[in-house]
Amino acid sequence: GAVVSQHPSRVICKSGTSVKIECRSLDFQATTMFWYRQFPKQSLMLMATSNEGSKATYEQGVEKDKFLINHASLTLSTLTVTSAHPEDSSFYICSARDWKWETQYFGPGTRLLVL
Amino acid sequence: GQQLNQSPQSMFIQEGEDVSMNCTSSSIFNTWLWYKQDPGEGPVLLIALYKAGELTSNGRLTAQFGITRKDSFLNISASIPSDVGIYFCAGQLSGGSNYKLTFGKGTLLTVNP
């Protein structure tokens, strides 16, 4: 149990385009999901907290108009990187909180490369 | 804000050896979690600790939640080549609407066959 999926696993896009990444909890309901960004050889950096049915809470320094988050159901959250630029290239990872066990389970990550 | 100090930063060991890594915090947590991350993958939960003093095992892995709630350690016994990866500790201060994780910087483990 406790499986979280992400789609796509990797994406290459041109500068100026928008990219949507999906995060799904497959066998449990997640009222809260989190989006992280990870640069090579570094730890995970929390970008935002996504709550089902309400607006996301963004960490300091993360532009909410740049990284749009939608958490429309208890099993799906999406992150849209708008007007992507090369500096947005990174590994984006989501996690979903299993409320019963107060633990977070992570997706496999999405590698974004902006040319 | 809260910070986690994870050590060692990296380890090079021979297959069969035991491994120990730990995390310390400047403030308390209610939950400690240990994750392993392989290259190009998301972190996988290894052990979750919910009570101060708790000692939990998962196969060859053993982790403890420090009695002060400010530290945790992870031990791996009889290491094997597939143990290679980056191990992260994470603390969670649950309650209310705050379930954010604070991560350590990771321990890179290399196991020589």
Side-chain angles (χ1 to χ4, degrees):
Chain A
V3 177
V4 177
S5 70
Q6 271 184 251
H7 178 79
S9 58
R10 59 178 63 205
V11 56
I12 301 173
C13 69
K14 293 182 179 180
S15 185
T17 60
S18 294
V19 175
K20 180 186 282 188
I21 303 170
E22 292 185 350
C23 177
R24 295 181 185 270
S25 58
L26 298 185
D27 51 2
F28 65 99
Q29 293 183 333
T31 54
T32 306
M33 291 184 173
F34 302 85
W35 287 96
Y36 295 83
R37 175 172 189 175
Q38 187 179 33
F39 292 106
K41 298 185 179 181
Q42 293 190 21
S43 189
L44 286 77
M45 184 191 80
L46 180 64
M47 299 174 65
T49 302
S50 170
N51 294 299
E52 186 266 337
S54 64
K55 290 183 179 180
T57 303
Y58 290 82
E59 295 300 301
Q60 191 172 8
V62 179
E63 300 175 55
K64 62 179 180 180
D65 295 329
K66 171 77 172 175
F67 299 100
L68 300 178
I69 292 173
N70 183 277
H71 193 157
S73 77
L74 288 173
T75 59
L76 173 64
S77 175
T78 61
L79 168 69
T80 301
V81 182
T82 63
S83 186
H85 292 284
E87 57 265 30
D88 297 324
S89 299
S90 188
F91 193 48
Y92 292 87
I93 311 173
C94 72
S95 72
R97 176 179 168 266
D98 184 340
W99 64 270
K100 284 194 293 185
W101 301 106
E102 294 206 15
T103 54
Q104 285 185 34
Y105 297 95
F106 285 82
T110 296
R111 176 76 60 191
L112 171 63
L113 177 60
V114 185
L115 302 177
Chain B
Q2 294 173 321
Q3 293 186 354
L4 289 187
N5 295 310
Q6 184 172 350
S7 65
Q9 187 174 352
S10 62
M11 301 182 74
F12 297 84
I13 62 171
Q14 292 297 125
E15 182 177 1
E17 291 183 353
D18 297 343
V19 172
S20 184
M21 58 192 80
N22 69 84
C23 275
T24 59
S25 170
S26 57
S27 52
I28 63 173
F29 288 107
N30 293 341
T31 303
W32 280 94
L33 304 165
W34 285 92
Y35 292 90
K36 178 181 180 233
Q37 186 177 29
D38 292 327
E41 302 286 335
V44 174
L45 180 66
L46 299 175
I47 292 180
L49 302 159
Y50 302 105
K51 287 175 57 177
E54 179 182 356
L55 182 71
T56 297
S57 294
N58 178 8
R60 294 180 294 107
L61 278 60
T62 302
Q64 184 159 30
F65 191 148
I67 197 71
T68 65
R69 296 166 65 191
K70 291 184 179 182
D71 63 296
S72 177
F73 72 74
L74 174 71
N75 287 342
I76 305 173
S77 62
S79 59
I80 59 178
S82 61
D83 290 334
V84 166
I86 302 177
Y87 292 79
F88 291 102
C89 63
Q92 178 177 272
L93 189 61
S94 56
S97 60
N98 181 11
Y99 297 101
K100 295 191 291 188
L101 293 180
T102 300
F103 279 88
K105 293 189 175 181
T107 296
L108 173 61
L109 177 64
T110 302
V111 180
N112 295 317

